[in-house]
Amino acid sequence: MIRNPIIAANWKMNMTPTETEKFFSVFLKELPTSNLRDVVIAPPFVSLAKAADMLMQADSVKLSAQNMSQEASGAFTGEISAAMLLDLGCRYVILGHSERRSLYGEDDVVINKKVHAALAAGLIPILCIGESLEQRDGGQLESVLSTQLEGSLANVSTDAAKGIIIAYEPVWAIGTGRTASPEQAQETQAYVRSVLSRLYGAAASEVIRIQYGGSVKPGNAAELISQPDIDGFLVGGASLDPVSFAEIVRAGCC
Ligand code: PGA
């Protein structure tokens, strides 16, 4: 089974619309033109429209949001709906990032509602899961990941699950400069696939793409992507520099 790699940038709370314009004016020149895999950029909400403008001539790069409301519309001050994101040109939405889980109290129940709202609207969720160092050291790695997957994907059909992207991001590797070794990431992602196989069957689990995220850089991308169960990356810090991110896209794609 060949899974097409998907390389995504998570800009977090960085990049004004002006900075977004500058990023794309460099990045689009750096982007490899041949053998391109799926490339996704997740700017903050306020920079999505500028990013969409800049990508008019580059339909190989898709847009993602970093979060959304589980509600469709109404009296939810400060929230953004799936329909709004679609209207801006988003195809993907990152859900359940560890920063949303730890800083904004999002649990698997809320994340599951968001997954259903995204799917109902036609957005592809990039569903983040991952363990803390304490949980890994305490022998809870597998139970944490299976609980997150079962909770976040509750009542998601096999057909819908096949299109979802899973991002495995060990919390201890996010923004710390400490990457999981390729072997550690492979072993854990093979486990994630085994949980997907239990939930959806072996055939479906073979088509679901699982990204690795956590201190991915140009220097470690090629070795990570060579692992059989690593189907792409979710990149934070290194995606803010257009040259670095283009290098990661190249490493992940050709
Ligand atoms: P990082 O972030 O690449 O800066 O570690 C990854 C993420 O949080 O998605």
Side-chain angles (χ1 to χ4, degrees):
M1 168 58 60
I2 307 286
R3 291 177 295 267
N4 199 23
I6 174 162
I7 319 294
N10 174 13
W11 284 356
K12 309 191 180 187
M13 198 173 72
N14 298 292
M15 298 289 219
T16 62
T18 306
E19 289 164 340
T20 297
E21 184 168 358
K22 282 191 198 136
F23 175 94
F24 281 112
S25 59
V26 178
F27 179 67
L28 293 178
K29 285 190 208 118
E30 294 282 330
L31 199 59
T33 47
S34 64
N35 213 4
L36 200 58
R37 301 298 198 250
D38 290 337
V39 178
V40 177
I41 309 250
F45 291 131
V46 295
S47 297
L48 281 169
K50 175 58 77 183
D53 276 358
M54 296 299 289
L55 289 174
M56 296 260 262
Q57 310 301 330
D59 61 359
S60 57
V61 181
K62 305 293 184 222
L63 271 185
S64 174
Q66 300 174 16
N67 181 31
M68 58 168 247
S69 171
Q70 66 267 38
E71 307 292 345
S73 66
F76 301 102
T77 301
E79 292 292 294
I80 305 284
S81 72
M84 293 170 183
L85 298 176
L86 275 171
D87 196 63
L88 273 170
C90 286
R91 166 140 345 155
Y92 297 85
V93 58
I94 298 171
L95 296 175
H97 189 277
S98 66
E99 287 149 19
R100 301 293 320 168
R101 291 175 187 265
S102 66
L103 302 173
Y104 301 98
E106 288 191 18
D107 60 13
D108 292 323
V109 173
V110 170
I111 295 162
N112 180 243
K113 288 184 181 157
K114 294 187 178 194
V115 167
H116 282 285
L119 289 170
L123 285 171
I124 301 171
I126 299 177
L127 171 65
C128 301
I129 57 169
E131 83 290 358
S132 66
L133 194 54
E134 216 178 15
Q135 290 165 331
R136 181 175 269 263
D137 289 348
Q140 295 163 273
L141 172 66
E142 296 194 349
S143 66
V144 167
L145 297 180
S146 62
T147 301
Q148 288 177 345
L149 283 169
E150 283 161 20
S152 308
L153 293 173
N155 299 315
V156 171
S157 70
T158 302
D159 265 359
K162 281 185 192 167
I164 286 179
I165 313 295
I166 306 290
Y168 166 61
E169 300 204 300
V171 177
W172 46 271
I174 295 178
T176 57
R178 196 181 148 183
T179 327
S181 69
E183 296 72 27
Q184 265 175 330
Q186 165 55 29
E187 196 184 339
T188 312
Q189 299 203 183
Y191 172 72
V192 169
R193 201 174 303 286
S194 77
V195 175
L196 294 171
S197 172
R198 172 165 59 73
L199 296 176
Y200 294 111
S205 78
E206 284 301 314
V207 302
I208 299 174
R209 292 181 288 180
I210 307 174
Q211 296 175 316
Y212 168 78
S215 298
V216 174
K217 297 181 278 291
N220 58 23
E223 208 185 346
L224 285 163
I225 202 78
S226 68
Q227 303 297 317
D229 285 293
I230 299 184
D231 308 317
F233 302 123
L234 184 55
V235 187
S239 74
L240 297 172
D241 175 51
V243 176
S244 288
F245 188 57
E247 264 184 68
I248 293 171
V249 169
R250 268 195 292 277
C253 98
C254 307

